[in-house]
Amino acid sequence: DLVRTLLDLDDRQTIVGNQIEALLSLDTGGLRHQLLLGFEFSSHTDDFTLDVAVLPTIDLFAPIETAAEPLFFLPDQATAGQTTALTQAPYLIDHITVGSRLGLFIGARFDRVDYQDELSSTRRDYQQFSPMLGAVFTPNDDLSLYANTGRAFAAPSARISGPRDAEESIQYEIGVKTLLLSGKLNAQIALFNLAKDNIAIPDDNGITQQIGDQYARGLELEVIARPTQDWYAQASYAYLNAELTRFSEFVLTPTSEGFVPRLFDRTGNRPAFAPEHLWTLWAARDLGAHFTLAGGGRYVGSQFVAEDNSYQVDGALTIDLGLTYRQGPGHLRINLKNILSSQYETRGFGASSVIPATPFTLKATVGYSL
């Protein structure tokens, strides 16, 4: 017999906001500055309820559905939120040109977030200063070397149970961009390291708690080729090494006395839905003045569905095709996705569910440019 529960989520979100920016150019002591000044403001409201219902057990080998409404919801497992996050954030980025081969980027952003949850009578003010620094060196017209680092900040999720702190992250990246074959080939490689603190992770019971830290290190490679005016091709590859540096969760464990919560340390495990390998390949060919034929593939490596790393979905390869017809300001685009109807799983909810991926799909789009 299979023991089952049903998660019932009703979530309504509204986001209203805008950005105002100004660009200023000036010279100081032989240095050329391009100053970007901006101000962002937004209001994000989230009204949700998440209930857990108990369903009748079902025979796994001879299933007969007996569940019927009204369902029995567990009152002690329900969560809800009615939150509002008001964000005000001025920012400044200075692009400094030193000579003809060196460019520097210096910037900062200051976030002030007024967060409140009316149902839990929670109100907090988050203030965060996020600096950034970068440099680009171009020894010649076909080669660029760059490096950058920066901090980021995000208000907590409304679904978090317990303390609600700001999520913080810091990233480092170095890379090389080059033009080859007289500009017909554009290649880029980058190494990065991203660390996040106070991230929200759903535990084994489906309750989201802000009790995790993690890092992600990896490599990204991209090649873009245009051998002729009629041909275009793009290939990319990403390698990701991700690890939880702090995360523990309570798991209900069956014993002779019933289900007893036990604490499990998941530190050192891989985060959920963080594939180690990811690559894409896409090519397009213009067939005269009106038609473009395109096709390619995408491979996503195996992934764990939860931080306990007990279940892993297999890697999957999908093949897509596309055809575009242009006539004056109008166009018709037809996309055939997953033409082989590859069967694989995608993101689920918590440690006990996955969702079958979309099979073969046809999508048609009509557009007109004014």
Side-chain angles (χ1 to χ4, degrees):
D1 286 340
L2 183 65
V3 178
R4 303 180 298 164
T5 59
L6 174 69
L7 300 178
D8 183 15
L9 173 65
D10 183 5
D11 190 2
R12 293 174 172 84
Q13 300 186 33
T14 303
I15 302 175
V16 179
N18 208 339
Q19 286 178 272
I20 300 175
E21 293 184 344
L23 188 63
L24 176 65
S25 298
L26 56 93
D27 294 332
T28 58
L31 302 179
R32 180 173 299 174
H33 297 261
Q34 280 192 328
L35 289 172
L36 175 66
L37 300 91
F39 182 78
E40 177 181 334
F41 56 94
S42 65
S43 172
H44 184 181
T45 61
D46 189 358
D47 187 359
F48 78 94
T49 57
L50 178 61
D51 296 307
V52 181
V54 176
L55 298 180
T57 59
I58 192 170
D59 191 324
L60 187 60
F61 300 100
I64 299 177
E65 183 59 76
T66 59
E69 294 184 320
L71 300 176
F72 174 70
F73 290 96
L74 300 174
D76 58 337
Q77 296 294 320
T79 58
Q82 194 172 359
T83 67
T84 301
L86 300 176
T87 301
Q88 303 175 65
Y91 54 92
L92 169 67
I93 300 176
D94 188 5
H95 177 202
I96 306 172
T97 302
V98 183
S100 60
R101 298 298 182 186
L102 180 62
L104 302 177
F105 295 87
I106 301 175
R109 172 185 170 112
F110 180 77
D111 284 84
R112 179 172 181 176
V113 181
D114 182 8
Y115 175 88
Q116 60 179 345
D117 185 345
E118 296 183 4
L119 294 185
S120 62
S121 300
T122 299
R123 180 164 186 172
R124 295 184 180 180
D125 290 327
Y126 300 93
Q127 299 184 23
Q128 179 76 19
F129 179 74
S130 303
M132 62 160 289
L133 178 65
V136 178
F137 176 62
T138 55
N140 56 63
D141 294 339
D142 297 331
L143 180 65
S144 297
L145 311 175
Y146 71 91
N148 61 67
T149 182
R151 291 182 176 272
F153 158 85
S157 167
R159 297 184 180 88
I160 293 174
S161 175
R164 298 175 180 179
D165 298 320
E167 178 182 300
E168 300 178 0
S169 64
I170 182 171
Q171 175 172 316
Y172 303 93
E173 181 178 350
I174 58 173
V176 179
K177 298 180 181 180
T178 182
L179 292 175
L180 303 171
L181 303 177
S182 301
K184 295 180 179 180
L185 188 68
N186 187 341
Q188 175 181 346
I189 186 172
L191 301 174
F192 64 89
N193 182 90
L194 173 63
K196 289 185 176 183
D197 297 331
N198 299 324
I199 58 177
I201 302 176
D203 64 12
D204 186 72
N205 301 313
I207 299 176
T208 301
Q209 300 185 69
Q210 202 170 30
I211 53 175
D213 302 332
Q214 72 179 44
Y215 73 78
R217 300 167 182 165
L219 173 147
E220 293 180 341
L221 175 64
E222 183 179 54
V223 177
I224 300 175
R226 188 177 287 277
T228 67
Q229 287 294 107
D230 299 334
W231 273 101
Y232 170 85
Q234 179 179 359
S236 64
Y237 169 76
Y239 168 77
L240 181 65
N241 176 24
E243 181 178 309
L244 293 168
T245 55
R246 177 179 66 95
F247 180 58
S248 299
E249 64 177 341
F250 283 97
V251 178
L252 295 177
T253 306
T255 66
S256 58
E257 300 177 353
F259 287 91
V260 177
R262 291 181 56 191
L263 182 64
F264 288 85
D265 186 4
R266 309 300 190 191
T267 302
N269 285 8
R270 192 173 183 87
F273 301 102
E276 188 174 12
H277 302 282
L278 173 67
W279 66 260
T280 60
L281 175 63
W282 189 256
R285 172 71 186 275
D286 291 333
L287 305 175
H290 302 289
F291 287 94
T292 298
L293 179 65
R298 183 174 187 264
Y299 174 78
V300 179
S302 58
Q303 309 170 62
F304 291 107
V305 302
E307 277 66 24
D308 60 7
N309 288 185
S310 61
Y311 181 74
Q312 190 175 35
V313 298
D314 296 331
L317 172 66
T318 56
I319 305 296
D320 302 334
L321 292 176
L323 178 65
T324 302
Y325 172 74
R326 297 176 299 274
Q327 182 65 50
H331 72 266
L332 170 64
R333 181 175 293 115
I334 298 176
N335 293 103
L336 308 178
K337 296 182 177 294
N338 194 8
I339 62 174
L340 301 180
S341 286
S342 300
Q343 297 183 5
Y344 61 100
E345 293 83 24
T346 60
R347 182 181 297 269
F349 187 90
S352 58
S353 68
V354 291
I355 301 172
T358 303
F360 170 74
T361 304
L362 186 149
K363 180 180 179 181
T365 304
V366 177
Y368 188 87
S369 300
L370 300 178

